[in-house]
Structures are given as C-alpha cells and as structure tokens.
Amino acid sequence: MVRVLTLPPAGTFQTCINRFEVHAHSENLTIIDDYAHHPAEITATLNALKDHYNTDLTPNPSPIERGTRMKLVLVFQPHLQSRTHAFYDDFIKALSIADTIYVLPIYHARAEPDHGMSNIKMVASIIELAKRENKYKEAYTLDFNNARNELSKYDKNHIIITMGAGKNNIIADQLVAENL
C-alpha cells in the first residue's frame, strides 16, 4: 500500500527548528519530531498533542472512540545517563502520557559515569507504573535498525512523534522519505 503524506498548508503553524516540527500529515497519519529531552518539555508537548489532535489517551477506549480519535505513538531517545538518572521518575510519568512508547538506547553526547540507566530499565518502569495505576500501556525498546519495520504497522489514526536530543529525528525523516 502506498500512502501519500503531505506537509500541512504553508503558514498554518510556525515552529522553531527541532521544536514540534510536523514532517508529514495525512488524513490518518501524522509524523512529528520534537527536541524535548527534559520531563517538563515532554509533558507539555505530549499534552499539547493530546489537546490539538483530540487523541484518546485513556486506557481501553470503546470501539467507537478508538475509531474516531488519533493514537499517540512516542519514539523517545533519552539524552545522557546523568539526566536520565536525575529525573528518572519524572521521565517515566511523562513518557506514560503516550499510548504506545518506544525507547531508544540512551544517547551519549560525552563521557560520563554509568548510572545504570538503560532503555530496557525505562520500559520496565513504564509498564510497572501502568500496572500500579491499573492502566494498559504498550512500551517497547527500539533500535535504529528495526525502527522502520516496527513503526510501519501504524497507518491509521496515529500520530508518531520522535522526541529527544539524540539522533532520533533521523527516524522521522526516514519515515517520511519512505512513505511509511
């Protein structure tokens, strides 16, 4: 199946580079990239998406709701072990706003001590938080090699947002270039 994704009409929404950049938009799929890499930024951006696109981020929506609202798929790359460690609980809460969460390996911009942080640990914490709150949440680890194949299943009523200060913006570019 070939889908044509288009950019939103010129002048409809201006952003600064790397902040809430809409890479493509169609009736059923929107691809966005955002530089947010702090829990407060992540929370603000995901809540803005939720409000703007009328997404249903509640657990187990009815079939009628599921067919009429966009689902939010987040692809997040943590930036630095030290930041991930310092704000760990806030990251888990912020990322859990999305319906489906993919966490890439931590981006290391410089040498720093190992704080025992990993995308595997983050995914386990997201799932544990969802269980404690009696919510259903999909969370997975992801690497750059399988990102396109994994994300290709989202083709109807989805918003895919890549987020973080690492190299994850490449995924948004690839999805658009390959007409995901």
Side-chain angles (χ1 to χ4, degrees), residues 40-53 55 57 72 94 97:
E41 296 171 330
I42 294 166
T43 299
T45 301
L46 294 180
N47 282 330
L49 272 170
K50 189 166 107 172
D51 292 342
H52 180 74
Y53 287 98
T55 60
L57 302 180
L72 184 56
I97 293 170

Side-chain angles (χ1 to χ4, degrees), residues 20-37:
F20 207 86
E21 285 186 280
V22 178
H23 284 242
H25 178 74
S26 73
E27 184 177 312
N28 291 319
L29 180 67
T30 299
I31 299 171
I32 299 170
D33 179 56
D34 191 85
Y35 185 72
H37 57 282

Side-chain angles (χ1 to χ4, degrees), residues 76-80 84 103-108 119 122 163-166:
F76 178 68
Q77 184 172 28
H79 184 231
L80 300 176
T84 305
V103 184
L104 292 156
I106 295 173
Y107 181 71
H108 299 282
N119 59 338
M122 293 182 82
M163 189 175 274

Side-chain angles (χ1 to χ4, degrees), residues 37-39 79-88 91 112 165:
H37 57 282
H38 184 279
H79 184 231
L80 300 176
Q81 283 247 351
S82 55
R83 178 180 290 118
T84 305
H85 180 262
F87 299 106
Y88 189 77
F91 272 118
E112 62 175 348

